[in-house]
């Protein structure tokens, strides 16, 4: 029979474990689900569904890993405290019964990651020993497709510190430029100089493609390209890094200037999630060449199905020897037949006839050909590509997201008392011009600037209260090849002409008219 006191101690032993596992699960409930994270991104970033999903899942799993580590650390600390407490209590009260010893043993075995006999099933034992490893992520995609926007938007909502570093500023240690440790320093600052918090953060290395190896002269040291890639390996892999950081120290006297003091920190990077992103201009061509080679090979094999094995080997060898890729025999004839340029990114036709952006087929070998070193690619297991934006996306970007360009310009015009209306036709035309310019959504802003310059010049202090921009207005930019024009055709209205303004909108764009009257009623 258990003595009453011993059974209480034993119950305490198990109840402490129960509370700890409850704590872990309550931590989990706070993690924003990938769907919630994506829902937030959807408000700012148009399209890019796959890229958003991959990023949100990576971030969600990062949270899970952190919470798992925290709850295991808390668990271990609590068990250690409980063991100490029970040992003290039993030595004071001379309780050395087998039950007390069994209780202590059970706690000690949990501490070592081995569950006590009553929990001894394989899965639990494995779970306790399991250490979740991080999955760093590479986002690639054409310029102006939303890579930086995605990561900066994410930074606003996350509960963990996040720091974005532009890799173009980095150089190898000892050379002019910033050392790679700057990304850690920024993370530490964003974590309010709390190293534990920083160790659970996210580092975004933007423009990583600019670190591609320069193949030019083997004798010249590539300190801003390959050298930086080499230096990043240690940080991305997970190491303890020493940092000397200038920290502002507030004096007690409020009027005294803020002093900067150098402080030493050690940051363990093993749990920091790294998100790499870049446009990788030219990677699509590398990929499509590779795919064509594979298709060539497959087609050759098909056509030679009737030949003997030895003959096939000889055929391939001869082809290699000739240095030709059998341009005439295969269904993929040349670059321009089956691969088209859309927003400057090549498309590749899959065997099922579907056309996809070449970037979505990126493999490690393509990244190596591009100039990233294999060791760096090996540390970034997830690769996702953003799609080139099409006219529909660009149209939505103009008017829908929070901070949409259209709202921004309407706000500015409102500041000097002008209500700006832009018809749907005009917005579509602007999107088409942006698509042709091939700079992604970035082009939208410059077209809007060119379009609105004259209106912005004419309206302030002129008695104009309303301006209507339609397709003709955008077309009038054609005279100057859509560059700045000295004049654009716009309909202006004074305050008294409001009914005419409303009536023109009703005629030109009934949807806009409906939306405006709805807004007025509210
Ligand atoms: N998918 C999108 N949804 C909404 N806005 C977008 C989207 N893509 C780009 N933009 C707009 O275009 C601008 C440029 O986008 P961003 O900086 O994210 O491009 P990027 O992909 O990082 O390009 P680069 O490779 O040239 O750095 C952003 O400020 C944003 O306003
Ligand atoms: Mg960018």
């Amino acid at each position: 029979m258990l003595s009453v006191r011993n059974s209480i101690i034993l119950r305490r032993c198990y109840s402490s474990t129960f509370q700890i596992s409850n704590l872990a699960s309550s931590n989990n409930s706070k993690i924003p689900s990938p769907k919630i994270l994506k829902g937030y991104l959807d408000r700012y970033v148009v399209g890019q569904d796959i890229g958003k999903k991959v990023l949100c899942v990576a971030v969600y799993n990062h949270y899970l890993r952190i919470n798992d580590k925290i709850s295991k650390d808390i668990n271990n600390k609590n068990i250690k405290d409980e063991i100490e407490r029970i040992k003290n209590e039993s030595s004071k009260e001379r309780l050395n019964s087998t039950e007390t010893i069994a209780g202590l043993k059970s706690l000690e075995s949990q501490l070592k990651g081995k569950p006590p006999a009553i929990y001894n099933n394989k899965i639990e034992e494995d779970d306790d020993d399991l250490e979740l490893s991080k999955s760093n992520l590479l986002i690639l995609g054409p310029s102006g497709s939303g890579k930086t926007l995605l990561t900066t938007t994410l930074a606003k909502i996350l509960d963990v510190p996040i720091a974005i570093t532009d890799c173009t500023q980095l150089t190898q240690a000892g050379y002019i430029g910033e050392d790679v440790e700057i990304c850690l320093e920024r993370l530490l600052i964003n974590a309010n100089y709390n190293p534990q918090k920083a160790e659970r953060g996210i580092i975004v290395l933007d423009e990583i493609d600019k670190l591609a190896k320069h193949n030019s002269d083997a004798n010249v040291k590539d300190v801003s390209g390959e050298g930086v890639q080499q230096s990043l390996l240690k940080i991305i892999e997970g190491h303890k890094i020493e940092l000397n950081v200038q920290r502002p120290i507030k004096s007690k006297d409020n009027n005294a200037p803020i002093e900067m003091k150098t402080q030493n920190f050690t940051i363990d990077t093993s749990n920091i999630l790294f998100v790499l992103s870049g446009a990788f201009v030219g990677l699509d061509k590398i990929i499509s060449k590779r795919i064509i080679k594979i298709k060539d090979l497959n087609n050759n094999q098909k056509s030679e199905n009737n030949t003997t094995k030895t003959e096939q080997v000889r055929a391939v060898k001869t082809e290699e020897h000739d240095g030709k890729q059998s341009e005439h025999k295969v269904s993929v004839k040349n670059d321009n037949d089956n691969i088209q340029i859309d927003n400057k990114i090549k498309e590749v036709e899959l065997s099922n006839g579907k056309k996809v952006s070449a970037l979505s087929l990126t493999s490690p070998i393509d990244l190596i050909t591009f100039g990233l070193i294999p060791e760096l690619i090996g540390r970034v297991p997830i690769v996702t590509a953003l799609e080139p934006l099409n006219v529909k996306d660009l149209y939505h970007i103009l008017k829908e997201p929070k901070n949409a360009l259209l709202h921004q310009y309407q706000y500015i015009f409102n500041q000097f008392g002008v209500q700006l209306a832009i018809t749907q036709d005009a917005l579509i035309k602007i999107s088409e011009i942006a698509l042709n310019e091939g700079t992604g959504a970035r082009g939208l802003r410059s077209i809007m600037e060119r379009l609105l310059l004259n209106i912005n010049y004419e309206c302030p202090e002129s008695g104009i209260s309303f301006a209507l921009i339609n397709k003709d207005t955008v077309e009038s930019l054609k005279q100057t090849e859509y560059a700045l024009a000295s004049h654009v055709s716009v309909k202006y209205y004074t305050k008294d002409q409001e009914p005419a303004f409303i009536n023109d909108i009703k005629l030109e764009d009934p949807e806009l008219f409906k939306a405006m009257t709805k807004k007025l009623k509210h």
Side-chain angles (χ1 to χ4, degrees):
M1 281 268 293
L2 285 174
S3 72
V4 176
R5 182 173 289 273
N6 280 357
S7 68
I8 290 169
I9 289 175
L10 199 57
R11 239 183 286 137
R12 271 196 209 137
C13 297
Y14 290 116
S15 72
S16 64
T17 327
F18 174 68
Q19 279 167 7
I20 292 156
S21 58
N22 265 359
L23 182 74
S25 58
S26 73
N27 266 345
N28 285 351
S29 65
K30 283 183 199 159
I31 301 174
S33 71
K35 275 189 193 154
I36 291 179
L37 288 172
K38 182 173 171 293
Y40 185 84
L41 289 180
D42 284 342
R43 285 156 60 189
Y44 294 85
V45 186
V46 170
Q48 312 300 10
D49 254 30
I50 295 177
K52 281 185 210 161
K53 271 187 195 165
V54 174
L55 183 62
C56 293
V57 168
V59 169
Y60 176 74
N61 287 350
H62 178 63
Y63 271 111
L64 278 185
R65 202 176 49 250
I66 287 167
N67 277 4
D68 183 65
K69 197 171 176 309
I70 293 173
S71 65
K72 275 179 183 156
D73 288 351
I74 295 173
N75 205 354
N76 285 348
K77 188 180 173 305
N78 283 3
I79 294 173
K80 265 186 198 160
D81 292 350
E82 188 74 347
I83 290 172
E84 270 318 298
R85 206 186 51 72
I86 294 170
K87 274 183 182 166
N88 284 342
E89 210 168 296
S90 55
S91 69
K92 249 192 260 162
E93 301 178 23
R94 296 178 202 291
L95 291 170
N96 274 325
S97 72
T98 44
E99 288 84 0
T100 313
I101 293 163
L104 281 173
K105 272 197 175 155
S106 128
L107 283 173
E108 275 164 356
S109 56
Q110 283 180 55
L111 192 58
K112 286 174 194 150
K114 292 189 178 64
I118 53 166
Y119 292 139
N120 209 358
N121 83 44
K122 184 83 182 87
I123 296 167
E124 287 212 21
E125 190 173 337
D126 284 352
D127 280 355
D128 258 10
D129 286 341
L130 204 66
E131 272 208 20
L132 301 174
S133 53
K134 60 178 171 171
S135 292
N136 299 320
L137 166 69
L138 169 64
I139 305 175
L140 33 93
S143 181
S145 59
K147 299 179 296 292
T148 306
L149 180 68
L150 263 182
T151 47
T152 44
T153 310
L154 200 67
K156 288 185 203 146
I157 42 163
L158 289 187
D159 219 9
V160 291
I162 174 165
I164 301 173
T165 297
D166 184 342
C167 291
T168 49
Q169 309 158 353
L170 303 178
T171 49
Q172 219 175 321
Y175 292 86
I176 295 172
E178 281 172 336
D179 291 359
V180 292
E181 281 80 14
I182 189 77
C183 60
L184 281 176
E185 198 175 317
R186 288 198 182 125
L187 187 67
L188 185 67
I189 294 169
N190 291 350
N192 212 4
Y193 298 91
N194 178 338
Q196 281 85 34
K197 250 179 131 185
E199 283 172 358
R200 295 177 221 138
I202 297 174
I203 288 182
V204 179
L205 297 170
D206 205 3
E207 313 284 349
I208 192 83
D209 51 325
K210 310 300 180 295
L211 302 181
K213 274 199 270 191
H214 308 306
N215 288 331
S216 47
D217 188 350
N219 296 323
V220 179
K221 210 171 171 198
D222 183 8
V223 292
S224 59
E226 191 182 356
V228 179
Q229 289 191 54
Q230 297 281 2
S231 318
L232 281 171
L233 296 180
K234 205 169 116 190
I235 298 184
I236 297 182
E237 172 80 356
H239 266 83
K240 290 200 165 121
I241 312 278
E242 297 278 335
L243 291 177
N244 280 322
V245 178
Q246 288 271 315
R247 184 179 183 173
I249 308 283
K250 248 190 172 177
S251 131
K252 277 178 196 152
D253 174 8
N254 276 345
N255 295 327
I258 293 171
E259 253 187 88
M260 297 299 275
K261 277 198 176 151
T262 306
Q263 205 174 333
N264 193 272
F265 293 91
T266 305
I267 309 272
D268 182 354
T269 63
S270 355
N271 282 310
I272 295 174
L273 179 74
F274 287 85
V275 177
L276 282 50
S277 75
F280 288 85
V281 177
L283 181 67
D284 54 332
K285 290 181 189 80
I286 294 173
I287 297 165
S288 59
K289 264 188 197 160
R290 175 176 59 80
I291 305 282
I292 286 173
K293 264 190 192 170
I294 295 170
K295 280 189 180 178
D296 277 359
L297 224 68
N298 286 347
N299 284 327
N300 279 350
Q301 274 168 6
K302 263 188 214 159
S303 67
E304 286 161 10
N305 244 356
N306 296 331
T307 60
T308 62
K309 217 172 174 183
T310 3
E311 278 168 337
Q312 277 181 25
V313 173
R314 201 183 305 140
V316 172
K317 280 198 171 157
T318 320
E319 196 180 77
E320 277 173 4
H321 183 73
D322 288 343
K324 284 186 225 149
Q325 285 300 321
S326 47
E327 296 124 334
H328 312 296
K329 292 181 215 160
V330 293
S331 67
V332 183
K333 289 135 201 150
N334 64 43
D335 275 19
N336 298 327
D337 275 357
N338 281 19
I339 295 161
Q340 290 142 20
I341 293 172
D342 179 21
N343 198 11
K344 304 234 185 305
I345 295 292
K346 277 181 185 282
E347 280 195 343
V348 172
E349 192 177 312
L350 301 178
S351 50
N352 61 10
K354 205 179 155 200
K355 282 179 183 164
V356 293
S357 142
L359 290 182
S360 65
L361 303 174
T362 306
S363 78
I365 194 81
D366 302 318
L367 294 168
I368 293 169
T369 315
F370 186 86
L372 292 194
I373 56 172
E375 302 91 307
L376 184 70
I377 298 162
R379 284 159 173 81
V380 187
I382 307 173
V383 178
T384 186
L386 298 194
E387 291 294 320
L389 299 166
N390 56 31
V391 174
K392 215 168 131 198
D393 295 327
L394 293 169
Y395 170 76
H396 287 302
I397 289 171
L398 268 178
K399 57 182 279 193
E400 266 147 38
K402 274 194 156 203
N403 309 334
L405 275 183
L406 179 60
H407 303 152
Q408 289 186 34
Y409 285 107
Q410 282 176 330
Y411 182 82
I412 295 172
F413 274 69
N414 258 330
Q415 300 292 308
F416 48 78
V418 172
Q419 192 179 332
L420 188 67
I422 307 185
T423 64
Q424 183 171 330
D425 280 356
L427 292 176
I428 292 173
K429 186 74 203 161
I430 295 168
S431 312
E432 284 169 358
I433 302 169
L435 186 77
N436 287 336
E437 289 190 352
T439 49
R442 243 184 253 285
L444 292 172
R445 176 174 285 276
S446 75
I447 297 162
M448 288 294 270
E449 287 290 340
R450 285 175 249 160
L451 185 70
L452 297 179
L453 178 96
N454 288 295
I455 312 165
N456 206 157
Y457 179 75
E458 294 290 340
C459 287
E461 318 272 329
S462 66
I464 296 167
S465 293
F466 305 97
L468 177 61
I469 292 174
N470 54 22
K471 201 176 169 189
D472 292 342
T473 322
V474 188
E475 292 280 359
S476 62
L477 272 180
K478 229 183 195 171
Q479 305 148 6
T480 51
E481 287 300 312
Y482 300 106
L484 280 177
S486 55
H487 171 82
V488 283
S489 75
V490 188
K491 289 185 183 171
Y492 292 119
Y493 310 80
T494 60
K495 200 162 179 46
D496 301 339
Q497 292 168 323
E498 185 172 0
F501 171 66
I502 306 265
N503 198 43
D504 283 351
I505 292 176
K506 193 175 172 184
L507 290 174
E508 295 207 20
D509 189 344
E511 285 300 312
L512 180 61
F513 171 74
K514 260 193 228 163
M516 276 179 68
T517 43
K518 209 171 152 191
K519 217 172 161 187
L520 281 176
K521 275 181 199 159
H522 285 290

